[in-house]
Amino acid sequence: MATKTISKAGLSALVRDLLSAGTRVVAPVRRREPDPGGVEYAELTSPDQMCLDGPQPSRSLKEWIFPPSEPLFCWRQTGSEIQLDPAPTAYPETVVVGARPCDAAALEILDRVMGWDYRDEPWFGRRQATLLLVLACQQCDDSCFCTAVGLSPTSRRGADCFLTKAGDGFSVDPITPRGQALLDRFPAHFGEAPAAAAREADGLEQKVRSNLSARPDRIRGWLETHFDDPLWKRLALRCHGCGACAFVCPTCHCFDIVDEPDGNDRGTRRRSWDTCQTALFTLHTSGHNPRPDQAARYRQRLLHKFAVYPARFDEVLCTGCGRCVRVCPAGMDLVEILAEIDRAAEAPGGPR
């Protein structure tokens, strides 16, 4: 599949044509409230709303595939009869323009658990309806650590097409047949790439690498052998158990299922995001809680991401996006915590 180019005007025209064809287009846009300088993924009504040169969106792309709350089915009772009305399974065709590499990779990582012992049809229905135009990162901060978990600011994992800033436009590499089909569908917006197309050097990978150079395998070894380490209690002194880290994380995927009555004879079964960081997550009806304190709950978060998930799926459940660091009201810095664990693992007698 040949590399193409597209100008900024051409990209705007492509978005305009997609919108005219009835395709839902999602892209980073500037927030108005509460942080006017921030960026978030939002559905476009005009290509003028796109913000492709801003910071990382404050929330991940996950919520467009796995909504914070969604109905599974509705029920109605008439006498002794119960009627079930399943939630719609037709999902809108969607093109995401400017997805960040850490967010695109996260979706592919989550495909493993979503199709493991049970196929999550809503997840895969939306996945199959969504095409990702991933944009190489143009900026980073001290919270980014994607290189420590096997990715990079130019990682193409999960992309259908990969865009890299080049001059006043972008080079476009189709990665999947679906990505190539998009280029074939709108050929007028794409140009031929020169034999030696000049792309702006990413210049970011070394900066990100300097934030955290820990090895996931060494961290996993320490976690698997230090279940009762004093570190957990020390960390938990700061943790509020608010779950903000999980809700902005592109790979956290726990949910709760509840029946919500809509009256005496009808209701909705709904699933909503949940997190292991709250006390209610593992609270038994008896009153017993196998994770009785915040130390146990924070330990679970790190174990799941860096030991349990890799053991089952050979994947680290983290893309190094750094959102958990930026949003934590207690200032808990996962970059610093992983670096500390890595140093402990490297110490004499530690696992390697």
Side-chain angles (χ1 to χ4, degrees):
M1 290 182 273
T3 298
K4 299 288 185 179
T5 61
I6 190 168
S7 66
K8 289 184 178 179
L11 186 59
S12 293
L14 173 64
V15 170
R16 196 173 291 110
D17 284 352
L18 287 168
L19 292 173
S20 297
T23 301
R24 182 173 70 170
V25 181
V26 173
V29 303
R30 288 286 182 188
R31 296 177 64 179
R32 295 184 178 180
E33 294 179 355
D35 175 18
V39 172
E40 64 184 358
Y41 292 111
E43 184 174 351
L44 301 182
T45 57
S46 165
D48 298 334
Q49 297 170 295
M50 287 191 299
C51 176
L52 300 183
D53 57 357
Q56 180 192 75
S58 55
R59 299 196 307 275
S60 78
L61 191 62
K62 174 185 68 179
E63 63 188 64
W64 293 90
I65 308 297
F66 177 37
S69 183
E70 65 176 324
L72 300 178
F73 62 80
C74 297
W75 60 269
R76 290 179 292 168
Q77 181 175 5
T78 304
S80 60
E81 298 294 323
I82 301 291
Q83 178 178 336
L84 301 182
D85 298 318
T89 55
Y91 303 103
E93 180 185 0
T94 302
V95 174
V96 180
V97 179
R100 294 296 186 264
C102 51
D103 288 336
L107 301 183
E108 190 170 290
I109 290 170
L110 285 180
D111 284 342
R112 303 290 297 278
V113 69
M114 293 300 189
W116 171 37
D117 59 345
Y118 174 81
R119 182 176 173 84
D120 192 296
E121 296 299 344
W123 170 271
F124 286 107
R126 293 188 182 94
R127 283 281 279 141
Q128 291 164 6
T130 303
L131 188 143
L132 301 181
L133 303 186
V134 178
L135 176 64
C137 293
Q138 300 171 57
Q139 55 183 280
C140 65
D141 63 18
D142 293 342
S143 300
C144 296
F145 62 99
C146 59
T147 54
V149 291
L151 300 172
S152 78
T154 57
S155 174
R156 302 183 174 202
R157 185 173 185 185
D160 292 297
C161 289
F162 193 80
L163 280 62
T164 308
K165 188 77 170 62
D168 64 347
F170 306 90
S171 65
V172 184
D173 291 305
I175 307 298
T176 67
R178 296 178 67 205
Q180 182 63 56
L182 179 73
L183 272 62
D184 294 342
R185 180 182 172 191
F186 299 101
H189 301 312
F190 298 94
E192 297 297 326
R199 307 186 189 195
E200 294 185 8
D202 61 47
L204 295 179
E205 184 162 343
Q206 190 55 43
K207 183 181 186 311
V208 174
R209 196 174 298 278
S210 68
N211 289 342
L212 180 67
S213 58
R215 287 171 28 190
D217 58 337
R218 195 158 59 193
I219 290 173
R220 175 181 169 184
W222 188 93
L223 292 171
E224 291 176 337
T225 56
H226 288 75
F227 191 80
D228 294 318
D229 195 89
L231 171 70
W232 304 121
K233 288 186 177 180
R234 175 159 58 84
L235 293 175
L237 290 174
R238 298 174 64 184
C239 183
H240 298 336
C242 65
C245 52
F247 296 139
V248 297
C249 176
T251 57
C252 280
H253 54 276
C254 291
F255 58 85
D256 188 20
I257 296 179
V258 297
D259 287 327
E260 299 179 347
D262 299 323
N264 293 329
D265 60 349
R266 64 191 63 207
T268 301
R269 178 161 292 183
R270 178 178 297 276
R271 75 169 173 182
S272 303
W273 288 359
D274 204 347
T275 170
C276 61
Q277 296 307 282
T278 65
L280 286 175
F281 187 78
T282 50
L283 182 64
H284 294 187
T285 305
S286 66
H288 170 67
N289 195 331
R291 296 183 198 137
D293 52 36
Q294 206 57 38
R297 292 189 276 274
Y298 192 74
R299 178 182 61 200
Q300 166 61 22
R301 177 172 173 78
L302 264 62
L303 276 170
H304 187 199
K305 288 187 170 298
F306 296 97
V308 176
Y309 205 87
R312 184 172 295 279
F313 298 114
D314 199 27
E315 295 268 20
V316 176
L317 191 65
C318 175
T319 61
C321 70
R323 288 185 177 95
C324 59
V325 179
R326 300 183 196 99
V327 77
C328 180
M332 296 184 71
D333 190 332
L334 184 60
V335 176
E336 294 179 357
I337 292 168
L338 292 176
E340 180 175 354
I341 292 175
D342 189 61
R343 288 192 297 271
E346 192 177 20
R352 297 182 181 275

